[in-house]
Amino acid sequence: MATVGLARLRHRLRHTTPRPPLPSVTSGHPRPTLGCCRHLSSSPILCSASQNPAPQGDSSAAGSSGGSSIIGGLLDYLNESWTQFHATAEAKRQLIAAGFHLLNENEEWSLLPGGHYFFTRNMSCVVAFAVGGRYEVGSGFHVIAAHTDSPCLKLKPKSLSTKSNYLMVNVQTYGAGLWHTWFDRDLSVAGRVVLKNSNGSFLHKLVKVKKPIIRVPTLAIHLDSTVNKDGFKPNLETHLIPLLSIKPEETSTDSKEKEGDASLKGVHHPLLLQVLSEEVGCDADDIVSIELNLCDTQPSCLGGGNNEFIFSGRLDNLASSYCALRALIDSCEVPGDLSSEHAIRMVALFDNEEVGSDSFQGAGAPTMFQAMRRIIHSLARRNVDEDAVERAIRKSFLVSADMAHGVHPNFTDKHEEHHRPEMQKGLVIKHNANQRYATSGITAFLFKEVGRIRGLPTQDFAVRNDMGCGSTIGPILASGVGIRTVDCGIAQLSMHSVREVCGKEDVDTAYQHFKAFYEGFSEVDRRLVIDY
């Protein structure tokens, strides 16, 4: 959850010429299920559901409403998704396995009622949607939006550094992280590389080095005896430079480079490039570009005396992303799930929320509005006027899903006394009179009513008047697209730490609430009319 707040999209798009009619194709092949709802044992600490299978029928796997748990799938997703690129790639894999059809934003779309589709942008943003079987032009969109990025350290464009006979890696801070938590952790790198081929083309590949190769050491207390009294206050430019290795002895050929060499020698350490090349299976000289995050190598797992917690990095906001993704997939698992649906069910997972969403792949870009308009024109099989788009958006509803601040038992005074969300007590509805959250009395009621019908609990959060308030992509999309929006999230502690914590039951509750939203919001919405 980051401090953001700017909105603009529609003025750039109102007068754009609609796309021409598109040819018809069918999407009728069967859609396999993923078996994502895994039964978990209550005894071991889980680092991965696939590594710790439990007997079928284990009651500890049940969610708060008695359904199957998604906790095992979430742990696998977290352990796979070290970066926003990996989170998007894993979402892509699951969508394809569930029968969703990959679209290309650069090509014409040909969509059908009952179809399931998705596209990615920058391999760090993904938008997926399922069209209701009874869709008509002007029907609305039911959207859950979240983000794939988390505060982290990223390699600088020139990361090579050497100090006191150590090979160091220059990094820059991304987002508002709790940077002191990154010290003395077993770190590695993950992200993407661009490789050159012998035929002159280039190849984009994701990379993840699973072994710890990097560390940011703290200073011994003997050399900083006041740290416990005055606090740990590292300089982020000079003290947050990770160690990669001991500097090797130089040879006469180490510094020689071929004339016109297009590799990254002299920009990044040859040792780092060698590690990356071994991981992706290429020569180090084939790597022409890298975009890497530093990542904690400790696996995500269950913890607590009763395994009631999830201990992990990047819970903000991959927990929300996974709940939304699974809710969409599972709400249209079989053809009959969409047979009576008029609306379009959508998930949008954006990048760069932690730094304001102002990017090609962020929620500040016109991605959602453009996708909605293209979907409407494709399904109409003809050019439709802007009135149809406006009517569809007017009927639409957005759930902005981002993790929430659970009350900290050691700092209860940081919460307003009547708005102290607790773990294992249900989804948190976020309110802010100054529109740092997009929730209104109406949108909160509609979303709560969906949960009430299914017996799912909710809580309310409002920040103290004497404290600042973060924000989400909710206000950006609400004002930019012009869509009714509610902000909600799972209560957590240690937000923006390298290692966060949330309640296991809250994850299942969020998944069930999101699935209920897709399956039941249309009926709830038609029972309340505001503007007529």
Side-chain angles (χ1 to χ4, degrees):
M1 189 168 63
T3 302
V4 296
L6 46 96
R8 68 275 176 257
L9 297 178
R10 297 173 76 190
H11 69 281
R12 294 184 289 183
L13 301 166
R14 279 184 182 276
H15 305 295
T16 305
T17 303
R19 289 185 174 270
L22 303 177
S24 173
V25 297
T26 61
S27 58
H29 55 272
R31 301 171 50 250
T33 60
L34 288 180
C36 71
C37 298
R38 311 177 186 194
H39 294 276
L40 308 178
S41 171
S42 60
S43 53
I45 303 297
L46 297 183
C47 291
S48 169
S50 59
Q51 296 171 3
N52 296 276
Q56 295 295 315
D58 182 1
S59 62
S60 69
S64 58
S65 291
S68 296
S69 174
I70 66 165
I71 300 303
L74 173 62
L75 291 174
D76 284 342
Y77 184 71
L78 291 167
N79 284 320
E80 180 62 32
S81 304
W82 280 17
T83 72
Q84 67 276 28
F85 308 119
H86 291 84
T88 302
E90 178 60 16
K92 174 182 177 180
R93 185 194 69 80
Q94 294 197 24
L95 287 164
I96 290 174
F100 280 67
H101 299 273
L102 177 61
L103 302 172
N104 189 328
E105 284 194 281
N106 298 326
E107 299 175 353
E108 291 185 346
W109 294 355
S110 187
L111 312 178
L112 290 172
H116 309 71
Y117 310 93
F118 77 100
F119 65 88
T120 65
R121 177 177 287 191
N122 189 51
M123 194 45 69
S124 62
C125 165
V126 58
V127 176
F129 57 96
V131 184
R134 300 180 65 183
Y135 173 84
E136 298 175 351
V137 174
S139 295
F141 293 78
H142 297 163
V143 188
I144 303 176
H147 63 90
T148 59
D149 62 319
S150 302
C152 67
L153 301 176
K154 292 178 177 284
L155 264 65
K156 288 183 177 179
K158 295 182 178 180
S159 71
L160 185 151
S161 177
T162 303
K163 291 185 179 182
S164 301
N165 213 39
Y166 289 104
L167 300 185
M168 315 287 287
V169 181
N170 284 324
V171 296
Q172 52 188 329
T173 58
Y174 175 84
L178 290 174
W179 303 121
H180 66 275
T181 66
W182 285 74
F183 284 75
D184 295 335
R185 303 291 300 188
D186 298 337
L187 305 175
S188 191
V189 294
R192 62 181 173 187
V193 298
V194 177
L195 310 177
K196 62 179 179 182
N197 284 331
S198 57
N199 61 3
S201 63
F202 299 95
L203 179 65
H204 170 274
K205 293 193 72 173
L206 299 189
V207 60
K208 179 198 298 181
V209 180
K210 295 182 180 180
K211 66 180 181 180
I213 61 171
I214 287 176
R215 191 174 180 92
V216 187
T218 50
L219 186 63
I221 193 168
H222 313 83
L223 305 178
D224 187 12
S225 58
T226 64
V227 65
N228 288 331
K229 180 180 68 175
D230 299 336
F232 182 45
K233 302 173 182 178
N235 182 293
L236 300 184
E237 179 63 25
T238 60
H239 299 155
L240 197 60
I241 306 176
L243 277 62
L244 173 65
S245 182
I246 300 292
K247 184 179 178 181
E249 294 292 332
E250 292 187 4
T251 65
S252 59
T253 59
D254 283 344
S255 59
K256 292 182 179 180
E257 296 180 19
K258 298 178 182 178
E259 185 177 352
D261 194 347
S263 71
L264 298 178
K265 293 177 181 177
V267 178
H268 304 288
H269 285 297
L271 175 60
L272 176 61
L273 295 175
Q274 183 62 35
V275 170
L276 295 174
S277 67
E278 291 174 357
E279 190 67 31
V280 299
C282 70
D283 292 333
D285 289 344
D286 293 336
I287 303 175
V288 296
S289 180
I290 65 175
E291 187 174 352
L292 300 177
N293 298 357
L294 265 62
C295 307
D296 187 12
T297 59
Q298 184 176 357
S300 305
C301 63
L302 295 184
N306 292 308
N307 282 348
E308 65 266 61
F309 299 128
I310 297 175
F311 297 154
S312 176
R314 307 173 305 281
L315 286 173
D316 177 20
N317 191 32
L318 292 185
S320 303
S321 297
Y322 184 76
C323 289
L325 179 71
R326 290 310 323 172
L328 175 65
I329 292 174
D330 295 346
S331 73
C332 51
E333 188 173 6
V334 297
D337 291 336
L338 291 172
S339 60
S340 60
E341 178 66 83
H342 291 269
I344 295 171
R345 301 172 182 176
M346 178 181 283
V347 159
L349 308 180
F350 295 101
D351 193 6
N352 297 135
E353 189 272 348
E354 297 293 356
V355 293
S357 296
D358 268 346
S359 69
F360 170 70
Q361 56 274 353
T367 309
M368 181 178 291
F369 188 94
Q370 290 173 340
M372 289 176 167
R373 190 181 57 192
R374 291 187 68 176
I375 291 167
I376 292 168
H377 284 284
S378 178
L379 289 170
R381 310 233 168 266
R382 58 182 171 81
N383 291 335
V384 296
D385 58 31
E386 281 299 302
D387 178 67
V389 178
E390 297 293 336
R391 285 188 289 113
I393 292 176
R394 179 65 188 87
K395 295 176 183 177
S396 299
F397 194 94
L398 169 71
V399 177
S400 170
D402 205 345
M403 302 297 280
H405 296 292
V407 62
H408 195 303
N410 299 330
F411 300 92
T412 56
D413 59 330
K414 295 297 184 179
H415 278 69
E416 196 275 324
E417 63 176 324
H418 301 295
H419 298 87
R420 292 174 172 167
E422 300 178 27
M423 289 189 187
Q424 315 288 54
K425 296 294 180 66
L427 266 179
V428 179
I429 311 299
K430 306 177 186 179
H431 305 261
N432 185 264
N434 297 302
Q435 294 301 294
R436 303 299 292 164
Y437 304 128
T439 306
S440 70
I442 297 299
T443 60
F445 165 75
L446 291 172
F447 190 66
K448 287 181 177 180
E449 183 65 11
V450 168
R452 187 196 65 79
I453 293 172
R454 300 286 182 96
L456 299 169
T458 58
Q459 308 175 78
D460 292 291
F461 171 75
V463 73
R464 289 172 55 110
N465 291 329
D466 57 358
M467 295 182 65
C469 182
S471 190
T472 68
I473 59 177
I476 294 175
L477 295 173
S479 57
V481 179
I483 185 172
R484 295 174 296 166
T485 302
V486 64
D487 266 295
C488 70
I490 298 168
Q492 74 162 100
L493 299 177
S494 306
M495 185 177 287
H496 287 194
S497 170
V498 73
R499 197 75 176 171
E500 301 172 321
V501 56
C502 73
K504 182 177 70 174
E505 289 183 13
D506 288 333
V507 170
D508 282 325
T509 298
Y511 159 74
Q512 292 159 11
H513 204 136
F514 294 166
K515 190 166 181 283
F517 166 71
Y518 285 131
E519 295 171 342
F521 182 78
S522 295
E523 176 60 30
V524 171
D525 192 33
R526 71 169 56 99
R527 289 156 49 196
L528 176 64
V529 179
I530 304 300
D531 301 303
Y532 58 92

